[in-house]
Amino acid sequence: MTDVVNRQILLASRPDGAPTPDNFSLVERPVPEPGDGEFLCRIVYTSIDPYMRGRMSDAKSYTAPTAIGAVMGGGSVGQVVASRVDGFAAGDFVLTYNGWQEYAVNRPKGVRKLDPAAAPISTALGVLGMPGMTAYAGLLEIGKPADGETLVVAAASGPVGGTVGQIAKIKGCRAVGVAGGAEKCAFVTGELGFDACVDHRSADFAERLAAACPDGIDIYFENVSGHVFDAVFPLLNPFARIPVCGLIARYNATEPPPGPDRLPMLFRDVLTKKLTIRGFIVTDFHARQADFLRDVGRWIGEGRIRYREDIVEGLENTPDAFIGLLGGGNFGQLLARRDPWPTEPAVRRQRDGSFPRVPVLAPGLRGN
Amino acid sequence: MTDVVNRQILLASRPDGAPTPDNFSLVERPVPEPGDGEFLCRIVYTSIDPYMRGRMSDAKSYTAPTAIGAVMGGGSVGQVVASRVDGFAAGDFVLTYNGWQEYAVNRPKGVRKLDPAAAPISTALGVLGMPGMTAYAGLLEIGKPADGETLVVAAASGPVGGTVGQIAKIKGCRAVGVAGGAEKCAFVTGELGFDACVDHRSADFAERLAAACPDGIDIYFENVSGHVFDAVFPLLNPFARIPVCGLIARYNATEPPPGPDRLPMLFRDVLTKKLTIRGFIVTDFHARQADFLRDVGRWIGEGRIRYREDIVEGLENTPDAFIGLLGGGNFGQLLARRDPWPTEPAVRRQRDGSFPRVPVLAPGLRGN
């Protein structure tokens, strides 16, 4: 290893509403040494995901909150630089949960080795990782898409929404995306192949969504909440399914929205339309992991699933990128990357939005 | 037949809020004559169920509303008095959907013949009919009770709630009922064998419910909504299931309840606790009908499922009984019965609350 310093981003304080840069602190610590049974990992890609907002709060949730002063947690892809454990050698690429830092010492348990010849290593944090698995399992296990049905998903240019819609298309559904702005909508229909995409910022969003769903909505894959749900709700067909994997629009909310209590209205439709609403997190469907890697890997190889990454250069820019993500400021799977690293084999993509024409699977292929 | 008049109760107008007697009209019409392929049915028991409130409104629901001037629909048990169709002879007992009237002409399709030696014929409208099947299918297919879990159900002295709790006990759950008043609660624990029953009219209802559910709630079988749901909501465990078959407390509501919009709060818990909320009506699980009759018939025979009927004498009293039902005024499966009928073999029960010690299956056994 060449560095002597391990930079880390810690949770400095809990946000009240939208996170601010003050909620984070950047510290420099010595690069740790691996002990027996451990290896040292140099992190190349750090994932930046909406669920991390939940970990910053101490409200009860499905996992414990991040402690004040702890490193912000999250998925990461790195390379082994020193190993004192069998099965992991210097140079190996690994998927770990090392969070927002540059180095970490790991034990093998829970670590997935990556084959850089099979797929760009960054995809282990996106379409072939947690977001892709969330899309795959939530759609197939809860959404249960059937030929000829209509699916709606928001954040459709992102790694979850984009994958949901493309799998729905493979299953014979009409896929209608929701995204913020004309550029994202054009990407969702033009590159990802959705049947339609509606800009949720348009003044007549609800009318446009209704026009895009002439046969109603059979599956609403809920990852945002807010006014997208409000527009979806009256369009739901009998027996519609609503997998709930996220509620981005509400993560920063400190107050309920104004207006009457709509909970009874929801239950009325749950009853009269026989709706299914089910929350899940990706680990609930761990048993489908092998199916996921097989199916989505094949679909990527066949060009039937595409994706886009939004790369931020440098760990120090992670908090700002995360704050922007919660407002829809990203365009694709948001990742922070270390400073250029000559041995990294994956295709590199810039924040200017240049799009990876997947599949980029050939081991000899290199990006800019 | 001896009567020359068929009395019918029609929907006279749509209620605004709670139904009133003015919403119904009693008319006298000639007893109809069966044509070829038809039989004439004399109705003995007319079911009075909460779902009928929905049919009185023209709001969109899972079935079309009752037309103004039409007979109030509903399940009924009767006896064939004249037949012009093979397979149905005078004297046969039948389950039909003839609603609030005294005679009707039927074709065989959808009619179930009843064996009065197997079970009291009234049970075809209760524990062995639509309410029992609602309990059985909703609990097993959506609630998925597991040994050691806690189930909560309201209207626990009624035919759905009472059956839900008893089946949950058979499946190894802790069954906690909710009912209105000490007498009903004593019946639910003493006669139906629930582990606990909480009076929802008590001032400290939420605290009492929490005390009755020390390990939280894994299944909430939703049939009432309102303040029962509010008390249940914070007690739900991760992966809790909420089958939704009814919302009695809201059927007469014309306004949303006061207070903030709790819909986002619900979705937050759907996500963080990975809840499943699913509406259904009994016909969604038609494929389980044979299983239901086999299992619940056996459990009644073994004394493991008990029930109570609340009999109103005379068709003319049906509207008042129905209006009372929506406020919890019944105590058990509410049925309207024709004036005493000497040939009827089922055990008779009075509105004074006398309880049928089931099983009452011996054909020679007669009630008062």
Side-chain angles (χ1 to χ4, degrees):
Chain A
M1 92 194 97
T2 53
D3 304 89
V4 291
V5 165
N6 177 27
R7 297 193 300 167
Q8 300 177 319
I9 293 175
L10 313 181
L11 179 63
S13 58
R14 303 202 184 282
D16 177 30
T20 64
D22 292 346
N23 298 130
F24 306 93
S25 61
L26 178 67
V27 298
E28 299 192 344
R29 301 242 164 96
V31 174
E33 293 284 340
D36 271 350
E38 297 178 334
F39 62 82
L40 176 66
C41 180
R42 181 187 190 273
I43 295 156
V44 182
Y45 288 104
T46 298
S47 193
I48 307 174
D49 297 303
Y51 77 85
M52 295 170 175
R53 177 63 182 82
R55 305 287 174 88
M56 298 178 73
S57 298
D58 52 9
K60 199 173 173 184
S61 186
Y62 46 77
T63 49
T66 302
I68 300 292
V71 175
M72 285 287 295
S76 53
V77 162
Q79 194 168 21
V80 177
V81 290
S83 176
R84 295 184 61 187
V85 60
D86 287 345
F88 290 84
D92 283 352
F93 290 98
V94 288
L95 172 66
T96 59
Y97 196 83
N98 283 333
W100 295 8
Q101 56 185 331
E102 295 179 326
Y103 288 92
V105 160
N106 294 107
R107 291 183 169 275
K109 188 169 184 230
V111 172
R112 192 169 113 210
K113 287 178 75 167
L114 302 175
D115 177 4
I121 56 173
S122 60
T123 58
L125 297 171
V127 68
L128 282 172
M130 179 276 288
M133 176 69 179
T134 299
Y136 177 87
L139 180 64
L140 298 185
E141 296 291 314
I142 302 175
K144 298 184 194 301
D147 194 48
E149 290 192 324
T150 296
L151 165 125
V152 170
V153 64
S157 64
V160 175
T163 308
V164 163
Q166 291 176 93
I167 297 177
K169 288 292 295 177
I170 290 169
K171 297 297 180 183
C173 293
R174 174 177 175 81
V176 176
V178 173
E183 189 188 8
K184 287 181 179 175
C185 287
F187 170 79
V188 169
T189 52
E191 295 291 345
L192 301 186
F194 283 49
D195 296 285
C197 190
V198 185
D199 183 353
H200 69 79
R201 296 174 186 162
S202 55
D204 55 347
F205 168 60
E207 292 73 20
R208 289 190 192 197
L209 185 67
C213 303
D215 299 322
I217 298 171
D218 301 293
I219 307 169
Y220 174 54
F221 194 103
E222 172 65 294
N223 52 3
V224 298
S225 184
H227 73 293
V228 176
F229 179 81
D230 302 344
V232 163
F233 186 60
L235 303 176
L236 291 169
N237 286 333
F239 297 106
R241 288 83 66 197
I242 308 179
V244 179
C245 81
L247 305 164
I248 302 178
R250 295 289 308 166
Y251 288 169
N252 287 336
T254 53
E255 299 287 337
D261 182 10
R262 293 172 302 161
L263 193 142
M265 189 176 76
L266 175 78
F267 270 85
R268 185 187 182 283
D269 276 22
V270 164
L271 177 61
T272 60
K273 292 184 176 179
K274 299 168 276 193
L275 306 178
T276 298
I277 302 171
R278 180 172 163 193
F280 73 103
I281 64 169
V282 61
T283 48
D284 299 344
F285 298 107
H286 184 72
R288 298 297 308 272
Q289 178 79 12
D291 295 340
F292 157 66
L293 290 173
R294 181 197 63 223
D295 289 347
V296 176
R298 188 180 72 239
W299 291 330
I300 291 174
E302 295 169 354
R304 302 176 80 184
I305 289 193
R306 295 166 169 249
Y307 63 94
R308 180 184 171 108
E309 293 172 337
D310 188 345
I311 307 285
V312 177
E313 297 291 346
L315 183 75
E316 66 278 11
N317 293 313
T318 306
D320 281 348
F322 174 68
I323 291 166
L325 169 75
L326 295 172
N330 63 308
F331 189 174
Q333 172 68 48
L334 190 57
L335 301 171
R337 184 173 56 187
R338 291 291 304 274
D339 50 300
W341 197 35
T343 63
E344 183 210 338
V347 172
R348 293 177 179 237
R349 284 161 286 276
Q350 300 300 323
R351 204 175 163 86
D352 68 5
S354 61
F355 173 60
R357 286 282 174 180
V358 294
V360 188
L361 303 177
L365 194 57
R366 294 287 178 274
N368 58 307
Chain B
M1 90 195 95
T2 53
D3 304 89
V4 292
V5 165
N6 177 28
R7 296 193 302 167
Q8 300 177 320
I9 293 176
L10 312 182
L11 179 63
S13 57
R14 303 204 183 279
D16 177 28
T20 64
D22 292 346
N23 297 131
F24 306 94
S25 61
L26 178 66
V27 299
E28 298 192 344
R29 299 243 164 95
V31 174
E33 294 283 344
D36 272 349
E38 297 178 334
F39 62 82
L40 176 66
C41 180
R42 181 185 191 275
I43 295 155
V44 182
Y45 287 105
T46 298
S47 193
I48 307 174
D49 297 302
Y51 78 86
M52 295 169 175
R53 176 63 184 84
R55 305 287 174 87
M56 297 177 73
S57 298
D58 52 9
K60 197 174 174 185
S61 187
Y62 46 78
T63 49
T66 303
I68 299 292
V71 176
M72 285 287 294
S76 53
V77 162
Q79 195 168 22
V80 176
V81 291
S83 176
R84 296 183 62 186
V85 59
D86 287 345
F88 290 84
D92 284 351
F93 289 99
V94 287
L95 172 66
T96 58
Y97 196 83
N98 283 333
W100 295 8
Q101 56 184 333
E102 295 179 328
Y103 287 92
V105 159
N106 294 107
R107 292 183 168 275
K109 186 165 188 244
V111 172
R112 193 170 112 209
K113 286 178 76 167
L114 301 175
D115 177 4
I121 56 173
S122 60
T123 59
L125 297 171
V127 67
L128 282 171
M130 181 276 288
M133 176 68 179
T134 299
Y136 177 88
L139 179 64
L140 298 186
E141 295 291 314
I142 302 174
K144 300 185 192 300
D147 193 47
E149 291 192 323
T150 296
L151 165 125
V152 170
V153 63
S157 64
V160 176
T163 308
V164 164
Q166 291 176 95
I167 297 176
K169 287 293 294 177
I170 291 169
K171 298 296 180 184
C173 293
R174 174 177 174 82
V176 176
V178 173
E183 189 188 9
K184 288 181 179 176
C185 287
F187 169 80
V188 169
T189 52
E191 296 290 345
L192 301 186
F194 283 49
D195 296 286
C197 191
V198 185
D199 184 353
H200 68 81
R201 295 173 186 162
S202 56
D204 55 347
F205 167 62
E207 291 74 19
R208 288 190 192 198
L209 185 67
C213 303
D215 299 323
I217 298 171
D218 301 295
I219 307 169
Y220 173 55
F221 193 101
E222 172 64 294
N223 53 3
V224 298
S225 185
H227 73 293
V228 175
F229 179 81
D230 302 344
V232 162
F233 186 61
L235 303 176
L236 291 170
N237 286 333
F239 297 107
R241 289 81 68 197
I242 308 179
V244 180
C245 81
L247 305 164
I248 302 177
R250 294 290 309 167
Y251 287 170
N252 287 336
T254 53
E255 299 287 336
D261 182 10
R262 293 173 303 161
L263 193 142
M265 188 176 75
L266 176 77
F267 270 85
R268 184 185 183 285
D269 276 23
V270 163
L271 176 61
T272 61
K273 293 184 176 178
K274 299 168 274 193
L275 306 178
T276 299
I277 302 171
R278 179 173 163 191
F280 73 103
I281 64 168
V282 61
T283 47
D284 298 343
F285 298 107
H286 185 72
R288 297 299 306 273
Q289 178 79 10
D291 296 338
F292 157 66
L293 290 172
R294 180 197 64 222
D295 289 346
V296 175
R298 189 180 73 238
W299 291 330
I300 291 174
E302 296 168 352
R304 303 176 80 184
I305 289 193
R306 294 165 168 251
Y307 63 95
R308 178 183 173 109
E309 293 172 336
D310 188 344
I311 306 286
V312 176
E313 298 290 346
L315 182 76
E316 66 278 13
N317 293 314
T318 306
D320 280 349
F322 174 69
I323 292 166
L325 170 75
L326 295 172
N330 64 310
F331 189 174
Q333 172 68 48
L334 190 58
L335 301 171
R337 183 173 56 188
R338 290 292 304 273
D339 50 301
W341 197 36
T343 63
E344 185 212 338
V347 172
R348 291 171 182 245
R349 283 160 289 274
Q350 300 299 325
R351 206 176 161 87
D352 68 4
S354 61
F355 173 58
R357 285 282 175 179
V358 294
V360 188
L361 303 177
L365 195 57
R366 294 290 178 272
N368 58 306

